[in-house]
């Protein structure tokens, strides 16, 4: 994020396909990033956790991480929207000329052909960082999964791993594109910090507690991560 922002401020790149908000990756992936992440992590968590524990109750408990993630996504985007609303004003042009004080909301402003300008925290920076980190956390369970004796399970998990790996690549790539082409530095910093806070607040703190969805199943040899978090 910082490197991309420096490029944007010091040596802006020429406009390209990726700088267009209507590019395929942005429209069909980033705009629905949480839906993609949710839909691929759900079967992955269910299959790997049931394979390791054999306990449906524990699997349901671990799947609740997706509900927590959904809540984090919803709350943070609502916060961003409210901040932009309360710090914004409507103008006649993108150059912020001719303030139109009669329009008090972004929707009303856009509906009348105006341009709303407020502190627009980067939702892309938040969501792409949060989704990528969550996928990495959940895929750590692969150290424990042994599917040599079950061809169908091996195929299913391998397919999901490839899909999640590809999705993570897209999230990281589009995170960089966001840093290079969109928003100012402070907006991206706040967005990224919200994503990091959502990740660390869950996997680094809450999920270590007994009254939580818990971390992915780990053997005693992998508990070093949990001990490190506690320290």
């Amino acid at each position: 994020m910082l490197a991309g922002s420096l490029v944007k401020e010091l040596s802006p790149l020429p406009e390209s396909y990726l700088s267009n908000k209507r590019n395929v990756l942005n429209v069909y992936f980033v705009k629905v990033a949480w839906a993609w992440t949710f839909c691929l992590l759900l079967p992955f968590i269910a299959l790997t956790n049931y394979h390791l524990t054999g306990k449906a109750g524990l699997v349901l408990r671990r799947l609740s991480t997706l509900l927590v993630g959904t809540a984090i996504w919803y709350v943070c985007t609502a916060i961003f929207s409210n901040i932009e609303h309360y710090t914004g004003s409507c103008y006649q042009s993108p150059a912020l000329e001719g303030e139109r004080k009669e329009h008090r909301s972004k929707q009303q402003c856009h509906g009348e052909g105006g341009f709303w300008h407020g502190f627009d925290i980067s939702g892309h920076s938040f969501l792409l960082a949060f989704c990528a980190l969550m996928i990495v956390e959940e895929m750590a369970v692969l150290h424990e999964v042994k599917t040599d004796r079950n061809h169908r399970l091996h195929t299913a998990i391998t397919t999901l791993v490839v899909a999640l790996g590809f999705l993570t690549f897209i999230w990281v790539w589009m995170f960089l594109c966001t840093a290079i082409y969109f928003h100012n530095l402070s907006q991206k910093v706040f967005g990224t910090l919200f994503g990091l806070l959502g990740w660390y607040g869950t996997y680094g703190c809450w999920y270590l507690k007994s009254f939580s969805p818990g971390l992915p199943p780990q053997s005693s040899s992998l508990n070093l991560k949990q001990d490190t978090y506690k320290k």
Side-chain angles (χ1 to χ4, degrees):
M1 184 271 292
L2 292 174
S5 297
L6 285 175
V7 171
K8 182 177 185 295
E9 297 298 328
L10 302 179
S11 181
L13 297 180
E15 291 189 3
S16 68
Y17 178 72
L18 291 173
S19 68
N20 185 338
K21 293 182 179 180
R22 295 183 179 180
N23 72 73
V24 171
L25 291 178
N26 192 55
V27 173
Y28 295 105
F29 285 89
V30 179
K31 291 289 186 182
V32 285
W34 180 244
W36 278 105
T37 303
F38 186 104
C39 290
L40 287 178
L41 277 181
L42 192 151
F44 178 80
I45 293 174
L47 287 174
T48 55
N49 284 249
Y50 187 77
H51 174 68
L52 290 173
T53 66
K55 299 178 180 179
L58 182 60
V59 172
L60 290 175
R61 177 184 172 189
R62 291 258 40 259
L63 285 173
S64 67
T65 57
L66 297 174
L67 297 180
V68 174
T70 300
I72 291 173
W73 162 74
Y74 181 83
V75 170
C76 287
T77 51
I79 291 174
F80 299 165
S81 178
N82 278 294
I83 290 175
E84 185 182 14
H85 171 75
Y86 287 112
T87 61
S89 297
C90 187
Y91 296 90
Q92 293 180 1
S93 71
L96 307 183
E97 298 173 343
E99 184 176 354
R100 304 168 71 173
K101 295 183 178 180
E102 67 273 17
H103 303 313
R104 296 295 183 181
S105 71
K106 183 177 180 179
Q107 291 74 17
Q108 185 183 17
C109 178
H110 286 174
E112 296 297 327
F115 297 86
W116 188 265
H117 179 74
F119 189 71
D120 182 19
I121 295 177
S122 175
H124 281 26
S125 296
F126 152 70
L127 189 56
L128 295 175
F130 179 66
C131 287
L133 289 167
M134 186 173 180
I135 291 173
V136 171
E137 288 284 357
E138 292 298 335
M139 290 182 71
V141 77
L142 290 174
H143 292 286
E144 299 295 301
V145 176
K146 307 296 181 184
T147 59
D148 298 340
R149 299 180 181 180
N150 190 326
H151 178 69
R152 290 183 178 178
L153 180 63
H154 177 78
T155 301
I157 292 178
T158 300
T159 300
L160 287 169
V161 168
V162 172
L164 285 167
F166 179 68
L167 197 64
T168 304
F169 174 79
I170 293 178
W171 294 165
V172 174
W173 175 251
M174 293 306 292
F175 181 89
L176 177 61
C177 290
T178 298
I180 291 175
Y181 291 114
F182 304 104
H183 292 278
N184 61 40
L185 178 60
S186 60
Q187 293 168 347
K188 288 176 285 192
V189 167
F190 275 100
T192 304
L193 287 177
F194 269 91
L196 292 173
L197 182 61
W199 159 70
Y200 187 76
T202 50
Y203 287 90
C205 295
W206 183 32
Y207 291 176
L208 300 176
K209 311 296 183 182
S210 58
F211 51 92
S212 73
L215 292 171
Q218 302 176 20
S219 68
S220 57
S221 63
L222 290 178
N223 281 334
L224 176 61
K225 174 185 177 182
Q226 183 170 343
D227 294 339
T228 302
Y229 275 144
K230 288 180 179 179
K231 291 177 181 179

